[in-house]
Amino acid sequence: MLLDYDRMGWLRVALLGFTVLVAAFLLLPVVFIVLLSFGSSRWLAFPPPGWTLKWYGELFADPAWLEAALTSARIATITAMLAVLIGLLASFALVRGHFRGREILRGLLLTPMVLPVVVFAIAIYAFFLRLGLGGTTIGFVVAHTVLALPFAVIPIATALEGFDKSIEDAAIVCGASPLEAKLRITLPSIRIGIFSAAIFSFLASWDEVVVAIFMASPTLQTLPVKIWGSLRSDLSPVIAAASSLLVVLTLALMAVTALLRRKFRT
Amino acid sequence: MPAGFGGLLPALILVTLFFVVPVLALLLRSVTGPEPGFQNYATLLGDGTYARVFFNTFLVASVVTIVTVLVAFPVAWMLAIMPSALASIVFGVIILSMWTNLLTRTYAWMVLLQRTGVINRTLMDIGLISTPLPLINNLTGVTIGMVYIMLPFMILPLVGTLRAIDPMTLRAAALCGASPFDAFCRILLPLSLPGIAAGGLMVFVMSLGYFVTPALLGGTSNMMLAEMIAQMIQSLLNWGLGSAAAFILLVVTMALYALQLRLVGAGRATGGV
């Protein structure tokens, strides 16, 4: 009875115990970093000798952190909008189009997700050096959109595959123009896919480190570049404070996702 | 133009111009810089220092893959059959870990694993060790950090594979007298093997080219391939050698990706994101 939860006996106890351990392992660094950010030890002693908000104070006192966060937010927002738009158009073609080589083209669009980022990073770095786009917002957005596109295409194409096209056809039979039918029938029906695409492509840019390290200039750096730089010089608790705010952001994103999914289902 | 092709144009232009062309240009550089020929590849494949980097990379990727599969399988198994209320808590933890900033997670491991870190302190307090273990700036640290990052990528697709197995086949086996151990070895494991192979291959490919975690948790004497490539370009400005190393990484990755596509079929190879 290996797949019957109620009749597994001792095996269930063992597997459940193991699952709890792994969940604890996955949770450990996240909880640890939040606790650490309130600890008073500059040398990251744990458990800390006392509790403090000092590191958050230092974080907000340094305008470079805020500036990096705003740069990241700006680049990730534009990237997500572009990736969703381009990904939406591409998904319609990939799911509904009839042409030779469709699978190959799908594979090509998904390749940036598979190729090691470091290869793409040095390739686009060299390319943008020549075009004079290194260290510019446009350069960042273009490179991140290439990386984010697969994360937009997959959920949208999946949602579109699950949508019954005859409903769209029915709207057209009832007098809607093809564009109107798509905008008012199809898009609302696949909104979970579009929404997932937006979240994933935003995160793909927001969390992106490797391309950003190569692309950044002294005047334009994203939050991961700022964290990377600090990590390489010391393990200051200020990084823990910044990291904790990122954890809060992740939790907020998860909450919004859960809420919207519930709302979309009903 | 064939029907429905137009929508692909923006994506194709973007990917061709800013992905295919730059990567091809890089490839070209590996056989032209500093002078035409294959000397960069000869250097990389003939030198013991570089052989060591390749060996480290394959070693770490293999160990990470094996450990990840072994840890992920029981968890995915439980998640597939657990009451959904309980499962959703575990899924929540997995998503939280996966969506938390990569550098944040790696930073946490840097602090946890250091000489005076919590893990060494705890092990010493309970008397298991008397001197701190070297857990960071070596391949041990890289492996721990990488397994941590790869686990969600293995668990989530495996849950799907295990859920697709009909519990009736196992009940039938039990009725025919199979012991749970037999049923596991001869039914459950073979039926989940495609999922394990696909997920394992994905973890292996991702580990081969991983940059951030090895660069932060690894040591200077045990470099991995991605870090070496970045260093060749960024610090040594040796574009020829760096491009050649990048191209070797590209070929290996793409070959394994093609194998994975054959295993699971296009579109699902990426774990469904």
Side-chain angles (χ1 to χ4, degrees):
Chain A
M1 301 303 170
L2 295 179
L3 286 179
D4 190 337
Y5 186 74
D6 295 322
R7 295 200 212 165
M8 288 176 79
W10 62 269
L11 187 60
R12 186 174 90 183
V13 180
L15 286 174
L16 263 183
F18 187 74
T19 304
V20 171
L21 275 182
V22 174
F25 173 68
L26 288 174
L27 207 53
L28 171 73
V30 181
V31 173
F32 175 71
I33 219 70
V34 176
L35 290 177
L36 197 67
S37 72
F38 294 108
S40 60
S41 159
R42 176 166 286 280
W43 315 113
L44 306 162
F46 198 89
W51 303 96
T52 177
L53 286 173
K54 182 165 63 174
W55 314 119
Y56 289 91
E58 278 190 28
L59 178 70
F60 288 113
D62 181 357
W65 281 101
L66 184 66
E67 203 181 312
L70 288 176
T71 305
S72 271
R74 190 175 68 229
I75 290 170
T77 307
I78 306 174
T79 298
M81 290 187 333
L82 279 174
V84 167
L85 194 67
I86 299 173
L88 191 64
L89 291 170
S91 300
F92 269 95
L94 287 174
V95 173
R96 295 192 176 169
H98 296 283
F99 45 85
R100 283 174 65 115
R102 199 176 57 160
E103 283 310 309
I104 294 172
L105 290 177
R106 180 198 284 255
L108 177 68
L109 292 194
L110 299 187
T111 309
M113 188 164 141
V114 189
L115 188 81
V117 195
V118 73
V119 177
F120 174 63
I122 59 172
I124 199 81
Y125 171 60
F127 193 64
F128 280 176
L129 274 185
R130 224 166 266 181
L131 293 183
L133 283 174
T136 64
T137 304
I138 296 177
F140 263 107
V141 167
V142 169
H144 280 180
T145 306
V146 171
L147 287 177
L149 193 59
F151 294 93
V153 168
I154 292 175
I156 296 177
T158 309
L160 201 58
E161 269 158 10
F163 172 74
D164 185 357
K165 189 173 182 295
S166 54
I167 303 175
E168 188 181 307
D169 295 338
I172 296 173
V173 171
C174 292
S177 75
L179 182 67
E180 202 180 355
K182 278 197 178 62
L183 289 179
R184 294 185 53 187
I185 306 291
T186 314
L187 289 191
S189 306
I190 58 165
R191 59 198 167 178
I192 289 191
I194 296 176
F195 174 70
S196 306
I199 295 238
F200 288 138
S201 42
F202 181 88
L203 282 177
S205 165
W206 173 262
D207 273 353
E208 203 288 318
V209 192
V210 188
V211 172
I213 293 172
F214 279 93
M215 196 84 84
S217 70
T219 51
L220 187 76
Q221 55 176 350
T222 59
L223 194 53
V225 177
K226 174 75 182 151
I227 300 179
W228 176 267
S230 315
L231 279 181
R232 292 239 126 172
S233 52
D234 63 356
L235 292 179
S236 149
V238 177
I239 309 173
S243 295
S244 303
L245 294 179
L246 289 174
V247 172
V248 173
L249 185 81
T250 308
L251 284 170
L253 266 181
M254 284 174 69
V256 172
T257 313
L259 275 176
L260 284 177
R261 272 177 195 261
R262 195 163 300 167
K263 199 175 150 214
F264 286 164
R265 287 238 171 86
T266 51
Chain B
M1 198 157 57
F5 186 79
L8 264 180
L9 280 180
L12 279 182
I13 293 171
L14 178 80
V15 171
T16 308
L17 209 56
F18 297 108
F19 183 76
V20 178
V21 170
V23 169
L24 288 181
L26 192 72
L27 162 64
L28 195 67
R29 217 161 170 167
S30 75
V31 288
T32 56
E35 57 214 36
F38 289 95
Q39 70 280 4
N40 289 321
Y41 292 93
T43 310
L44 279 176
L45 299 173
D47 189 314
T49 323
Y50 302 123
R52 202 181 150 73
V53 172
F54 285 113
F55 175 76
N56 278 341
T57 309
F58 275 90
L59 180 73
V60 169
S62 311
V63 173
V64 167
T65 307
I66 293 168
V67 176
T68 307
V69 168
L70 290 179
V71 174
F73 188 82
V75 177
W77 183 359
M78 264 295 104
L79 279 171
I81 59 176
M82 248 181 194
S84 63
L86 210 54
S88 58
I89 297 176
V90 182
F91 278 123
V93 170
I94 296 175
I95 302 284
L96 174 64
S97 143
M98 202 173 160
W99 284 13
T100 297
N101 187 286
L102 175 65
L103 286 174
T104 296
R105 290 177 284 168
T106 310
Y107 169 66
W109 282 113
M110 288 169 83
V111 181
L112 281 165
L113 295 173
Q114 60 182 333
R115 256 183 84 82
T116 53
V118 179
I119 291 177
N120 268 322
R121 281 273 178 79
T122 314
L123 290 175
M124 281 165 81
D125 284 349
I126 58 176
L128 270 176
I129 51 169
S130 51
T131 48
L133 295 172
L135 294 173
I136 196 170
N137 297 330
N138 53 32
L139 294 183
T140 315
V142 177
T143 307
I144 297 174
M146 297 275 287
V147 167
Y148 180 83
I149 284 157
M150 295 301 162
L151 267 175
F153 293 102
M154 192 71 222
I155 295 176
L156 296 179
L158 255 188
V159 174
T161 309
L162 282 155
R163 272 191 184 151
I165 298 174
D166 186 353
M168 276 317 225
T169 52
L170 286 153
R171 196 164 298 170
L175 281 175
C176 296
S179 71
F181 181 73
D182 276 341
F184 177 79
C185 293
R186 296 177 59 181
I187 298 176
L188 193 63
L189 198 58
L191 282 178
S192 30
L193 215 52
I196 294 177
L201 209 52
M202 181 170 75
V203 168
F204 186 76
V205 170
M206 282 169 71
S207 305
L208 276 185
Y210 225 70
F211 172 72
V212 172
T213 309
L216 291 175
L217 292 175
T220 37
S221 57
N222 284 308
M223 213 183 271
M224 280 176 70
L225 189 51
E227 197 189 349
M228 182 182 82
I229 296 172
Q231 207 180 59
M232 280 171 171
I233 303 289
Q234 219 170 14
S235 331
L236 310 175
L237 299 176
N238 191 337
W239 279 92
L241 212 52
S243 319
F247 189 66
I248 293 175
L249 180 59
L250 179 145
V251 170
V252 175
T253 308
M254 286 298 127
L256 291 171
Y257 178 52
L259 182 69
Q260 196 201 2
L261 282 185
R262 293 197 57 173
L263 275 177
V264 288
R268 290 205 298 143
T270 40
V273 190

